[in-house]
Amino acid sequence: MNTYANLPVYLARGEGVWLWDEDGRKYLDGLAGIAVNTLGHNHPRLVAAIADQASKLIHTSNVYKVRLQETLADKLAALSGMDKVFFCNSGLEANEAALKIARKYGHDRGISNPEIIVYDNAFHGRSIATLSATGNAKVHKGFEPLVQGFVRVPLNDLAAVEKVAIENPNVVAVFLEAIQGEGGIAPARVEYLKALRALCDARGWLLMIDEVQCGIGRTGKWFAHQWAGILPDVMPLAKGLAGGVPIGAVVARGAAASVFGPGNHGTTFGGNPLACRAALETIAVIEDDGLLANAEQTGQAMRAVFSRELSSVAGILDIRGRGLMLGIELACPCAEIPKRALAYSKEYGLLINVTQDRVVRLLPSLVMNVEEATLLADGVVTIVRDFLSQQAEPKAA
Ligand SMILES: Cc1ncc(COP(=O)(O)O)c(C=O)c1O
């Protein structure tokens, strides 16, 4: 169906942070399939693990116990400091599970119309419930009526949440991304996350942090909220968890971990042996190869290039993000930049992205080294400068 405005390139193979199209042209991958290819392309350990698992068991069904699912759940619990995991196949499914946990948590406490606090510019997926939680009118348009039970607030505005707390006795949860991804690489501030944790504790609300895009080591910690030193009650994951094999997971703790009983939720594919093995191997490589530290250092190297080369350029409004989740906000719409990037030089193109119409977004693989990151950052600087110089009247920074 006509759902994607694809760029005109067919990628045929990859190696690390490099890709080649069907005509043999080379590209430096600054997007990693939108934060999915955690270990880059064709990683020997991930390829071997997937091949080995495929030769043993791909799928059995949750009718039976799945050993690798239990092993992966234990690993995610250890990394997050949380208790239990439900496995599914994508980000929106993980978020659907989170929303169901919040609603049932409310019903179990006698709240028959539970409401969930959500955010301007948030993105949580494209099912009817998760698009309703999403704070973007373009995502809603044509799909009304939206699911009820959401109260929307601006990000990093504690007073707005406190006001809801006073006015609305039906609130059961706060649901936000630690760093908004589709919303333009907009971080929830560390102090804000800490204050939300305290408010949720005081009110008996669940703090639900969507780590689908910012989790799995991308910011230099396993999960981006860990920079605030807090624990969520519910944490949806997906994208980079299995290095490219479809998977989703919702990790929960305390009361939230025991909301579901048999029959409350389920999925055919979720937690199948193939996806769980790929996730376990992805996590093992991150640990063995020190990829959290790499994400932080490599991200800093790119930030340094952007600060030096772009921060005082007219038409640049902001440079933000953490680790390998970076955004450069322009004063004007720049949706054509990814297409220009494909043609960056004679030797190779760049795979980069624009979100919110004017934020150039970088989400490279965690295996990207400083040398490759510098090539990427230099390329982005050139493309952005060229683009701005060709605009009629770039606004002053
Ligand atoms: C923060 C966040 N949540 C949820 C989703 C939806 O994930 P999926 O596309 O796997 O359904 C995305 C996808 O971009 C996301 O960035």
Side-chain angles (χ1 to χ4, degrees):
M1 290 189 193
N2 189 24
T3 50
Y4 305 104
N6 315 114
L7 290 167
V9 56
Y10 287 92
L11 298 164
R13 70 184 176 91
E15 194 70 49
V17 297
W18 294 94
L19 284 153
W20 287 262
D21 69 16
E22 288 180 347
D23 300 324
R25 180 165 165 77
K26 196 175 168 184
Y27 302 88
L28 179 54
D29 186 2
L31 191 58
I34 320 186
V36 169
N37 303 105
T38 306
L39 307 180
H41 304 278
N42 197 19
H43 191 286
R45 281 184 59 182
L46 182 60
V47 171
I50 292 169
D52 178 61
Q53 190 57 43
S55 74
K56 290 179 179 150
L57 262 189
I58 294 175
H59 173 86
T60 49
S61 160
N62 289 304
V63 168
Y64 312 101
K65 297 263 183 209
V66 181
R67 179 70 67 194
L68 285 163
Q69 199 180 105
E70 294 178 7
T71 310
L72 179 57
D74 287 344
K75 188 70 200 174
L76 290 173
L79 296 176
S80 64
M82 297 169 74
D83 301 333
K84 298 214 173 193
V85 187
F86 172 82
F87 289 105
C88 50
N89 315 284
S90 66
L92 82 79
E93 280 177 73
N95 286 335
E96 284 276 347
L99 297 174
K100 282 181 70 175
I101 288 173
R103 282 192 168 191
K104 188 157 183 301
Y105 173 84
H107 281 277
D108 291 349
R109 278 157 187 73
I111 299 175
S112 54
N113 286 306
E115 298 197 39
I116 299 168
I117 295 179
V118 294
Y119 285 79
D120 291 342
N121 297 324
F123 185 83
H124 297 297
R126 291 175 180 277
S127 64
I128 294 292
T130 58
L131 77 80
S132 301
T134 289
N136 179 341
K138 279 192 209 159
V139 175
H140 297 164
K141 195 168 180 312
F143 301 105
E144 300 87 351
L146 301 183
V147 169
Q148 300 297 296
F150 295 111
V151 190
R152 198 170 300 285
V153 296
L155 186 62
N156 291 321
D157 179 350
L158 191 63
V161 183
E162 284 167 341
K163 186 163 177 281
V164 176
I166 292 163
E167 290 171 359
N168 191 333
N170 290 327
V171 171
V172 293
V174 179
F175 184 36
L176 80 167
E177 297 152 83
I179 302 176
Q180 290 183 339
E182 306 304 301
I185 314 293
R189 287 195 207 102
V190 160
E191 314 78 61
Y192 182 73
L193 286 174
K194 286 184 177 162
L196 280 185
R197 179 67 275 174
L199 190 62
C200 286
D201 287 341
R203 293 272 164 180
W205 297 347
L206 298 180
L207 180 59
M208 311 207 298
I209 304 191
D210 180 344
E211 292 266 356
V212 167
Q213 190 165 143
C214 56
I216 319 296
R218 178 148 296 283
T219 65
K221 289 205 187 278
W222 283 105
F223 308 109
H225 68 264
Q226 290 175 331
W227 289 102
I230 56 154
L231 281 177
D233 299 293
V234 178
M235 174 175 69
L237 300 173
K239 285 192 181 284
L241 176 55
V245 176
I247 191 169
V250 58
V251 189
R253 170 179 84 92
S258 52
V259 163
F260 283 158
N264 285 144
H265 201 51
T267 155
T268 295
F269 290 121
N272 68 70
L274 185 72
C276 290
R277 178 76 187 273
L280 282 163
E281 195 64 22
T282 299
I283 291 169
V285 174
I286 296 174
E287 285 179 326
D288 295 346
D289 293 358
L291 296 184
L292 297 187
N294 184 65
E296 202 180 351
Q297 282 155 16
T298 307
Q300 273 164 7
M302 277 202 282
R303 268 280 287 254
V305 174
F306 296 145
S307 300
R308 194 178 65 233
E309 303 292 335
L310 287 178
S311 54
S312 56
V313 171
I316 300 288
L317 293 187
D318 197 14
I319 298 162
R320 54 182 181 253
R322 196 159 217 165
L324 292 174
M325 183 169 189
L326 295 174
I328 302 166
E329 184 177 356
L330 274 59
C332 57
C334 61
E336 70 193 73
I337 279 187
K339 189 165 179 191
R340 288 176 171 230
L342 293 178
Y344 166 59
S345 78
K346 219 160 83 39
E347 289 75 36
Y348 59 91
L350 303 183
L351 303 187
I352 59 175
N353 178 251
V354 165
T355 187
Q356 288 283 103
D357 282 341
R358 42 188 85 200
V359 180
V360 176
R361 175 170 59 163
L362 299 175
L363 299 163
S365 139
L366 273 52
V367 301
M368 181 171 272
N369 63 33
V370 170
E371 199 184 323
E372 294 157 340
T374 308
L375 282 183
L376 177 63
D378 289 345
V380 169
V381 166
T382 304
I383 292 160
V384 168
R385 278 174 177 265
D386 283 356
F387 172 79
L388 288 173
S389 72
Q390 289 156 14
Q391 301 309 296
E393 285 179 339
K395 287 185 199 137

